[in-house]
Each structure stands twice: as C-alpha cells, then as structure tokens.
Amino acid sequence: MQRHDFENADQLAQALARQVAADLRAALDARGQACVALSGGTTPLRFLQALSQQPLDWSRLQVTLVDERWVPAEHPRSNAGLIRQHLLQGPAAAATLLPLYRPVGQPEDALTAVAASLPPRLDVAVLGMGTDGHTASFFPGGDHLAEALDPASTATLLPMRAEGAGEPRITLTLPVLLTAGHLYLHIEGAQKQAVLAAAATGEGAGADYPIRQVLACLPAPLATFWCA
C-alpha cells in the first residue's frame, strides 16, 4: 500500500478531493469527459463535500457508485441519495449521475440495463472499507463474493446478499474496479487501520478479508488515505 496519513478527517477530505479533482481534470483534458465511482456510508461525507467545491467542468463529468443498496434514491440508506445531497450541489450539480438502482424488484432484474448505462472504464474509483474487511459490496459470506472477486470474471455488476449487508445490494466487480485509471481507499480510525494491516499481511482473520483479494490483484500499491 501507498499510505497517505493525515492528522484529522478534514485534512484528509481536502487532500483526497484535490487529488481526485486533479485526476479528473487530466482525464477531461485527454478525452473530453471523465467518470468517477464513489462509495457510500458515513466516512466519505467530508470528502464528498470537499470534492463538490473543486474547480471542475462538472458538465462533462459522470458520477457513479462503487455499489448500492437496493433501495430508491429517496431512502435514507441510498448511496445515490447521499451523492446527490453531499456532492451534486452548486456547480457540481451539472454532473451526470449514473445510479445503479432501478425501480424493479431485485438487483438481478436490472443487471443488464445498469451495465449498459455505465462507461467502458472508470477514470477514478474511491473505495471505502468496513471493519469486517469488506469493500464495495464484497461482504464476507456474500452469495456472489467469489465471482465478484474473480479477476477473470466478465461480469460488470453482480447482486450481493450477505448477513452483514443489510439490504440486497448491487456492486461493481473487481475487474471493473481494476480498470480505473486511479484507485483510492479512504478509511478512518485505528480499527480500520488494523483491519487493513491484517489483510495486507494475511495474518489471522486478515487472510479471509475481501479487501485482501483487492490488494493482491492490483498492479501497483493501493493509494490509501487514512486518519485517526
């Protein structure tokens, strides 16, 4: 891993926002458009707000999600709703949101349609991680975990159900995340730092953390932004 440590969450959020914005500007200069995949939860709120303040041509940016709970955007646990509330405000509202949820019964019913709406590659992806070692919706015990983590999988998206996941979910697969021009991990707190260290070494429970497979498949060290 390539560690970037910060004294507090505000410093981390600002630094990560500046880095992601620089990557997106480079992609815009090279191709005229760019796509970033972001994570939900409570950890990225400061980062999303900081990113929304970055000077970018938001009208040429697409924003999607690393994963999503199978709930509508109005639901308080929706990642798309979180992105709309904390990122797509002010000038950033000009960006195009590519949601993963569709108003159908189960994620399996929407895989083809959602995959067709996504760009062929990501310019930037920002992952989070839980204290159980999950990232994206790669949950321990997930019903499609092995396929989602298979670097040879041809699937763009998969459904995921697991005891720790709450609602059914839909997630980008590991091969899709590996296409990202820039991949970052954003974690906060000593407990998550310890989980990530265990995953990196494979010691004890770390051998089975899903994040370990992500680390193992990356062609370069994972840029990790952390604060206590």
Side-chain angles (χ1 to χ4, degrees):
M1 290 174 291
Q2 184 184 63
R3 284 268 302 267
H4 302 271
D5 295 353
F6 299 89
E7 292 184 2
N8 56 60
D10 287 332
Q11 290 183 8
L12 187 161
Q14 293 294 332
L16 182 56
R18 288 192 298 269
Q19 183 61 60
V20 169
D23 297 335
L24 292 173
R25 285 189 208 99
L28 289 173
D29 290 344
R31 298 189 295 104
Q33 61 183 11
C35 183
V36 57
L38 300 170
S39 297
T42 57
T43 299
L45 297 186
R46 288 183 182 87
F47 158 66
L48 295 176
Q49 292 162 357
L51 182 60
S52 74
Q53 302 301 312
Q54 290 293 313
L56 284 161
D57 186 348
W58 290 95
S59 65
R60 294 191 289 148
L61 286 174
Q62 295 175 319
V63 178
T64 192
L65 295 151
V66 169
D67 66 329
E68 180 62 282
R69 301 173 176 93
W70 205 246
V71 296
E74 299 76 21
H75 194 283
R77 283 174 57 78
S78 166
N79 287 342
L82 180 143
I83 294 296
R84 287 191 184 278
Q85 180 180 358
H86 294 279
L87 174 66
L88 302 183
Q89 301 292 322
T96 300
L97 178 62
L98 305 177
L100 302 186
Y101 172 80
R102 297 293 187 274
V104 296
Q106 302 295 334
E108 289 86 348
D109 301 327
L111 292 177
T112 300
V114 177
S117 74
L118 299 177
R121 69 183 296 274
L122 303 172
D123 295 289
V124 182
V126 183
L127 299 174
M129 189 194 72
T131 55
D132 60 356
H134 88 267
T135 189
S137 280
F138 306 153
F139 281 88
D143 57 350
H144 291 280
L145 180 62
E147 184 180 0
L149 287 174
D150 183 355
S153 174
T154 59
T156 299
L157 298 139
L158 285 170
M160 194 70 68
R161 294 171 178 81
E163 184 177 348
E167 303 89 346
R169 301 199 180 203
I170 187 170
T171 186
L172 299 180
T173 60
L174 178 56
V176 173
L177 295 174
L178 293 177
T179 71
H182 303 275
L183 185 64
Y184 300 104
L185 178 65
H186 174 187
I187 60 172
E188 298 178 8
Q191 185 177 10
K192 289 187 179 182
Q193 182 188 38
V195 167
L196 185 61
T201 62
E203 295 179 357
D208 297 321
Y209 288 150
I211 188 69
R212 178 168 171 78
Q213 177 68 0
V214 178
L215 296 173
C217 291
L218 288 173
L222 178 60
T224 302
F225 283 65
W226 175 83
C227 73

